[in-house]
Amino acid sequence: IMVANHQSHLDTLCLVSAIPLRNIHRAFPAAAADYFFKGLPSSAFSSIVVNGLPFKRQARGAESLVLCRELLRNKGNILIIFPEGTRTTDGSPGVFKPGIGLLCSGTDIPIIPCYLEGAYESLPKGAWFPKPSKLILHIGESRVYDDNDAGRETFQHIASDLEDAVFSLKPTLLNDS
């Protein structure tokens, strides 16, 4: 599972670009069903071009998490997920939702934290066309949560741990003065 902050519609393309070409058909970005799968044209594009996995956000995502687990039972499949649940509206980070903890708690599935920078500046929420901008993907060390027991507190702990892991990849500016 690749988890990342969610700045823009460019995020998925940036994450997919880090996957070896021979495995790209095994990458499944979780995509908001209410946004990317609401009509035939957008559903076809999301399914065929992006290999999107419809994720229902309204029903707390429980059904969608079951589908994600099924997908991950096939070794070699890659799930791309944005635990904030939606794109940022102002460039600031959002809080990771506990669904990511529910998904990976008690499993040996490797989770790879990723931090994206520059996508919000290029294509913020509401924009139709990207502006030229440098996009940088920072990839962290994988982690597993196989020794965690199921439970609401555990799910939130995993979400917080992954949130820290993702945002710790953000480069800090050095003050020269």
Side-chain angles (χ1 to χ4, degrees), residues 5-134:
N5 56 314
H6 202 10
Q7 298 185 339
S8 165
H9 283 314
L10 297 174
D11 298 346
T12 297
L13 299 173
C14 191
L15 288 166
V16 168
S17 73
I19 298 169
L21 195 54
R22 69 182 176 278
N23 296 332
I24 229 144
H25 68 286
R26 310 271 324 252
F28 298 89
D34 60 307
Y35 188 90
F36 291 100
F37 294 89
K38 63 182 176 184
L40 185 59
S42 62
S43 293
F45 179 84
S46 299
S47 297
I48 297 167
V49 176
V50 184
N51 209 21
L53 180 70
F55 198 93
K56 295 179 182 176
R57 299 184 288 186
Q58 284 74 18
R60 296 187 179 211
E63 271 179 40
S64 296
L65 289 173
V66 169
L67 182 60
C68 290
R69 278 201 177 201
E70 287 297 318
L71 175 88
L72 292 168
R73 282 193 181 155
N74 293 322
K75 296 289 182 197
N77 281 347
I78 303 163
L79 176 66
I80 297 172
I81 196 162
F82 302 100
E84 292 166 293
T86 191
R87 291 168 289 151
T88 180
T89 56
D90 61 4
S92 62
V95 176
F96 280 26
K97 298 188 182 324
I100 187 64
L102 175 62
L103 179 62
C104 61
S105 177
T107 72
D108 63 351
I109 300 167
I111 319 308
I112 302 170
C114 302
Y115 179 78
L116 295 153
E117 65 175 304
Y120 175 77
E121 292 76 17
S122 181
L123 188 67
K125 194 171 189 173
W128 285 90
F129 300 102
K131 295 181 276 187
S133 177
K134 182 187 281 189

Side-chain angles (χ1 to χ4, degrees), residues 131-148:
K131 295 181 276 187
S133 177
K134 182 187 281 189
L135 302 180
I136 302 172
L137 173 60
H138 304 272
I139 301 174
E141 295 291 323
S142 69
R143 48 188 65 210
V144 296
Y145 297 95
D146 56 349
D147 60 347
N148 292 89

